[in-house]
Amino acid sequence: SLDNFGYILIAEDMDEAIEATAAQAQAKIELNLNGKNLNNGGTATWTSGSNTLTVTVKNGNAVRVYTLTVTKS
């Protein structure tokens, strides 16, 4: 079980690819934007107003879920 996680999340121009990278190479990452699953590194479709991005990180038995709210104006 890991206590500390470090991740980098990059989203450019609000309509480009979105990718999350785990600090631990063996960790698996799942992305969900506004209720739709995304491929890590795939194209994200941001809507005007509030968007919910969920990043789920699985490393062995450890699971962490990060929820981000992104507003596009």
Side-chain angles (χ1 to χ4, degrees):
S1 170
L2 297 173
D3 293 326
N4 297 311
F5 293 89
Y7 302 95
I8 298 171
L9 180 64
I10 301 170
E12 297 176 1
D13 298 329
M14 298 298 290
D15 62 353
E16 297 292 326
I18 187 167
E19 183 173 0
T21 304
Q24 298 81 21
Q26 71 279 7
K28 304 294 182 206
I29 295 175
E30 297 173 0
L31 301 176
N32 184 291
L33 179 62
N34 297 327
K36 295 181 181 179
N37 292 331
L38 294 176
N39 291 325
N40 197 13
T43 301
T45 302
W46 303 92
T47 59
S48 292
S50 182
N51 294 270
T52 301
L53 176 65
T54 304
V55 180
T56 303
V57 182
K58 299 177 181 179
N59 192 350
N61 291 328
V63 178
R64 297 283 168 100
V65 178
Y66 300 88
T67 303
L68 298 91
T69 301
V70 180
T71 302
K72 178 181 179 184
S73 56

